[in-house]
């Protein structure tokens, strides 16, 4: 069995526009980023607080932040993510 975590939260059967970053989507809590059930991450509540504060600070300090190039994804099989994200502060 091989789990493809990079596709887990991008299922079009669960999320409308799954490739878009949208923290305000109505079913945002249905992601499996922190596991679930008895296997849920014990640090999930702290991580959520840290992320909320980091994003709030970023928006306050860089209100005109925007992408300058398409993010470059890494080819990893297990841990999916970006190798490079180029931004401009305006």
């Amino acid at each position: 069995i091989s789990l493809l975590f990079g596709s887990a939260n991008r299922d079009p059967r669960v999320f409308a526009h799954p490739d878009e970053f949208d923290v305000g989507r109505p079913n945002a809590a249905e992601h499996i980023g922190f596991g679930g059930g008895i296997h849920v991450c014990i640090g999930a509540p702290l991580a959520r607080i840290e992320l909320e504060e980091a994003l709030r600070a970023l928006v306050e300090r860089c209100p005109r932040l925007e992408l300058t190039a398409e993010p470059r994804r890494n080819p990893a099989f297990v841990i999916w993510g970006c190798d490079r994200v180029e931004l401009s502060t305006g």
Side-chain angles (χ1 to χ4, degrees):
I1 296 175
S2 175
L3 298 177
L4 300 176
F5 296 112
S7 64
N9 295 318
R10 298 172 57 234
D11 186 344
R13 294 170 298 177
V14 178
F15 301 110
H17 311 289
D19 291 328
E20 293 179 12
F21 178 70
D22 181 5
V23 295
R25 63 179 62 174
N27 63 339
E30 293 180 33
H31 72 86
I32 61 169
F34 292 114
I38 64 169
H39 300 288
V40 70
C41 174
I42 194 169
L46 177 59
R48 288 185 179 106
I49 291 168
E50 291 173 335
L51 180 59
E52 183 177 348
E53 290 305 313
L55 290 175
R56 185 183 330 273
L58 183 63
V59 169
E60 287 174 2
R61 292 186 179 122
C62 304
R64 295 184 295 161
L65 192 67
E66 60 183 52
L67 283 172
T68 58
E70 190 67 26
R72 191 175 73 199
R73 304 196 187 283
N74 68 32
F77 179 70
V78 177
I79 300 177
W80 180 84
C82 292
D83 283 334
R84 178 182 211 124
V85 178
E86 296 179 25
L87 304 168
S88 168
T89 57

